[in-house]
Amino acid sequence: MLMGAASPHQGSRGQASLCKMAASSCRLLLLLLPWLVTTSHSPPGCKIRITSKGLDLVKQEGLRFVEQELQNITVSDLHGKEGQFHYNISQVKVMDLQLAFSDLHFQPQQHLVFNINNASISLRFRRQLLYWFFYDIGSINASADGVHIHTVLRLSKDEAGRLKISNITCNASIARMHAGFSGTLRKVYEFLSTFIVTGMRFLLSQQICPSLEHASLVLLNSVLDTVPVRNYVDEHIGIDYSLLRDPAVSTDTLDLDFKGMFFPRGRENQELENHAVEPVIKETERMVYVAFSEYFFDSAMHAYFQAGVLAIELQGEKVPKDLEVLLRATFFGTIFMLSPAVDAPLRLVLQVSAPPRCTIKPSGTSVSVSAFLNISLVPPGRPAVQLSSMAMETKLSAKVFLQGKALRVQLDLRRFRIYSKQSALESLALFSLQAPLKTLLQLTIMPIINERTKKGVQIPLPEGMDFTKEVVTNHAGFLTVGADLHFSKGLREVIEKYRPAPTTPTYPSSWPAEPSMDPHQL
């Protein structure tokens, strides 16, 4: 036996070792799989749920829109020949629609289903008939009954993170159609009614679905384009409302997960990792629910902090007189040593030292802020002289409310503490400044901050749709706003506002200007 050859027992042991390694790898993969799935699911900063009650309101407005679209159906001319009879049907116009039985509901996965059952459509069209030497012209009233339309809209996230109708499937049928004829050749028309009515029913049914497809994929998507995805809030920050994933649709709800992250305008590509609790909406009683996590508010304050606007300076006459007297008395010894600067104006610089943090609890919402306050004398023509640099810790209570489509925050000072960065003795000496500085914050600083938050930030809803009867509820790590919906503008009004200019005619006209006596052209 050669020295380099392996025995059968050695080969078996090697195979067993490989199997054990493979089994260990599989077990490790199974252990890591939940972690990998969790990390791939980015939690939303903002979540919107539309319930079946909200869908009922959308159905009412959508039904009016569908009626308007079907009234604009253009049917091609119908002409033919039966023996010596030549007929031409043109200028077909929808006069009235009765869409009494309709239904709009959610279908699990990503769908909306819209059904119209047993509807009726009244028509009027122009007739031309030539039989030997007899010629007849006039109008015909017709009606299509038992109209059934079944459409399924697929909703998805596009590349920009916007909600879109990505696909539509449509089926339309007409059970019965009849026409009322009059005139000298009424009997002839009744003889040809089978051919005419059958042709008109076919042409009309063929135009229903293309009309609804255009209405959905073009016109309704233009309304969804009005939802803010990435826009500026003010001159300092913007917000990213892009969808994180396709909508989740159940039999009763449609849930949308938005990124909900603010960013400084100077660093628009900056990402702030979300470690907050994911909002969970369980309610279905109201038409719509909007949930905001702590991350939503933290990213706003982080963006303002990075934009460098969380700082306020008060100097000279802007410093309240009572506070100025107290500050001069507190730092009398230091000021006295700087005798040429005794009458120099005071300057107070309040600057946040770290991004504020939001905490949402069932009992309420609060914001923790760490800052420092520098107090200086500013002699004219001389360098500023710093009297003190003190640290501040404050806790603000936040009242969150919704007005229209704007989410607003009203802040109020709840707790306030100052201490010296230098020594405990100086902190003790600053104790007398605690109440005056708190009053300064309440009367001078807080109004400035609330003025900045007064405008609020828009919630991602299409134009023309607003909230009413809003109720805010706090949870652990997030808050929800339950509300009803209201259409301040109709779909048609919004569509006409944003409708792109047509480049080519959608339906070329083929109606004859004058009736022809030539049977070959009828």
Side-chain angles (χ1 to χ4, degrees), residues 34-284:
W35 180 83
L36 293 173
V37 172
T38 303
T39 55
S40 64
H41 180 87
S42 302
C46 171
K47 191 183 190 83
I48 291 183
R49 163 170 289 184
I50 299 175
T51 67
S52 296
K53 292 184 179 180
L55 198 61
D56 288 340
L57 178 68
V58 174
K59 186 191 80 170
Q60 297 173 18
E61 183 63 27
L63 197 59
R64 285 192 288 268
F65 172 67
V66 169
E67 289 178 351
Q68 294 167 351
E69 286 301 302
L70 293 181
Q71 285 178 345
N72 294 326
I73 285 179
T74 302
V75 181
S76 303
D77 294 351
L78 177 67
H79 55 85
K81 174 183 177 184
E82 294 296 329
Q84 297 301 319
F85 296 99
H86 301 262
Y87 60 88
N88 185 57
I89 303 300
S90 62
Q91 300 182 15
V92 181
K93 185 178 181 181
V94 176
M95 304 302 296
D96 185 46
L97 293 100
Q98 296 294 329
L99 308 180
F101 303 100
S102 62
D103 175 58
L104 178 65
H105 63 269
F106 296 118
Q107 180 174 303
Q109 300 302 324
Q110 298 156 300
H111 303 297
L112 286 178
V113 179
F114 183 56
N115 290 320
I116 295 176
N117 296 312
N118 203 25
S120 63
I121 304 176
S122 299
L123 305 169
R124 175 175 289 179
F125 46 87
R126 182 171 176 266
R127 73 175 188 262
Q128 291 174 274
L129 176 67
L130 183 65
Y131 176 64
W132 292 101
F133 300 106
F134 296 96
Y135 177 73
D136 185 49
I137 185 172
S139 62
I140 299 177
N141 294 324
S143 64
D145 299 321
V147 180
H148 298 274
I149 306 172
H150 176 76
T151 56
V152 180
L153 306 177
R154 181 179 178 85
L155 303 175
S156 63
K157 174 182 76 73
D158 68 5
E159 294 181 357
R162 192 187 301 274
L163 179 67
K164 282 298 180 71
I165 300 172
S166 58
N167 190 31
I168 175 174
T169 57
C170 176
N171 295 294
S173 63
I174 300 174
R176 302 171 301 279
M177 189 165 185
H178 57 86
F181 300 101
S182 61
T184 57
L185 298 180
R186 181 172 59 86
K187 294 295 183 180
V188 176
Y189 270 104
E190 289 177 351
F191 172 74
L192 295 174
S193 64
T194 302
F195 305 102
I196 296 174
V197 169
T198 301
M200 286 302 302
R201 185 175 69 174
F202 174 78
L203 291 176
L204 180 61
S205 62
Q206 291 297 305
Q207 291 300 319
I208 291 175
C209 283
S211 176
L212 294 182
E213 288 172 2
H214 177 265
S216 301
L217 298 178
V218 177
L219 301 183
L220 289 183
N221 274 336
S222 70
V223 177
L224 293 176
D225 283 339
T226 64
V227 177
V229 172
R230 191 177 179 90
N231 62 326
Y232 294 138
V233 177
D234 54 29
E235 65 272 22
H236 305 295
I237 67 171
I239 188 169
D240 187 339
Y241 270 133
S242 58
L243 281 172
L244 295 174
R245 54 193 64 89
D246 289 333
V249 181
S250 70
T251 56
D252 300 315
T253 60
L254 182 148
D255 289 342
L256 301 168
D257 289 348
F258 296 93
K259 191 171 186 178
M261 185 198 77
F262 293 82
F263 56 86
R265 292 184 59 166
R267 307 174 187 176
E268 298 189 10
N269 295 323
Q270 178 178 283
E271 293 288 333
L272 181 64
E273 196 169 351
N274 187 352
H275 298 290
V277 174
E278 179 172 349
V280 178
I281 304 176
K282 298 181 180 179
E283 299 86 355
T284 58

Side-chain angles (χ1 to χ4, degrees), residues 162-445:
R162 192 187 301 274
L163 179 67
K164 282 298 180 71
I165 300 172
S166 58
N167 190 31
I168 175 174
T169 57
C170 176
N171 295 294
S173 63
I174 300 174
R176 302 171 301 279
M177 189 165 185
H178 57 86
F181 300 101
S182 61
T184 57
L185 298 180
R186 181 172 59 86
K187 294 295 183 180
V188 176
Y189 270 104
E190 289 177 351
F191 172 74
L192 295 174
S193 64
T194 302
F195 305 102
I196 296 174
V197 169
T198 301
M200 286 302 302
R201 185 175 69 174
F202 174 78
L203 291 176
L204 180 61
S205 62
Q206 291 297 305
Q207 291 300 319
I208 291 175
C209 283
S211 176
L212 294 182
E213 288 172 2
H214 177 265
S216 301
L217 298 178
V218 177
L219 301 183
L220 289 183
N221 274 336
S222 70
V223 177
L224 293 176
D225 283 339
T226 64
V227 177
V229 172
R230 191 177 179 90
N231 62 326
Y232 294 138
V233 177
D234 54 29
E235 65 272 22
H236 305 295
I237 67 171
I239 188 169
D240 187 339
Y241 270 133
S242 58
L243 281 172
L244 295 174
R245 54 193 64 89
D246 289 333
V249 181
S250 70
T251 56
D252 300 315
T253 60
L254 182 148
D255 289 342
L256 301 168
D257 289 348
F258 296 93
K259 191 171 186 178
M261 185 198 77
F262 293 82
F263 56 86
R265 292 184 59 166
R267 307 174 187 176
E268 298 189 10
N269 295 323
Q270 178 178 283
E271 293 288 333
L272 181 64
E273 196 169 351
N274 187 352
H275 298 290
V277 174
E278 179 172 349
V280 178
I281 304 176
K282 298 181 180 179
E283 299 86 355
T284 58
E285 291 77 16
R286 307 295 295 274
M287 291 184 181
V288 64
Y289 291 89
V290 189
F292 305 94
S293 74
E294 292 173 344
Y295 172 81
F296 181 86
F297 301 99
D298 284 346
S299 67
M301 293 180 289
H302 189 272
Y304 274 124
F305 178 77
Q306 290 202 318
V309 296
L310 298 185
I312 296 176
E313 179 178 315
L314 302 176
Q315 181 173 325
E317 295 180 355
K318 293 184 179 181
V319 179
K321 197 64 180 177
D322 294 343
L323 179 62
E324 180 182 3
V325 172
L326 183 59
L327 289 174
R328 289 186 180 275
T330 302
F331 300 105
F332 175 76
T334 305
I335 296 174
F336 184 76
M337 296 297 295
L338 304 169
S339 55
V342 170
D343 296 328
L346 282 173
R347 180 173 65 189
L348 278 65
V349 177
L350 177 63
Q351 185 167 350
V352 174
S353 56
R357 297 299 301 271
C358 174
T359 302
I360 302 176
K361 296 180 180 179
S363 58
T365 303
S366 62
V367 178
S368 300
V369 184
S370 297
F372 60 84
L373 176 65
N374 288 334
I375 304 174
S376 306
L377 285 173
V378 189
R382 296 181 57 185
V385 179
Q386 182 169 301
L387 299 178
S388 178
S389 178
M390 60 187 74
M392 300 174 55
E393 291 181 358
T394 61
K395 180 162 284 190
L396 311 175
S397 62
K399 179 184 177 182
V400 181
F401 59 98
L402 202 60
Q403 189 170 3
K405 277 190 293 191
L407 182 73
R408 299 180 178 180
V409 180
Q410 181 77 23
L411 297 171
D412 188 29
L413 183 61
R414 185 196 301 176
R415 287 187 298 182
F416 172 78
R417 185 174 75 94
I418 60 171
Y419 58 92
S420 173
K421 294 181 178 180
Q422 309 301 324
S423 66
L425 184 61
E426 188 175 359
S427 295
L428 185 61
L430 295 175
F431 184 78
S432 61
L433 294 177
Q434 185 93 8
L437 287 177
K438 185 177 181 180
T439 302
L440 171 69
L441 288 176
Q442 289 176 324
L443 299 181
T444 306
I445 308 301

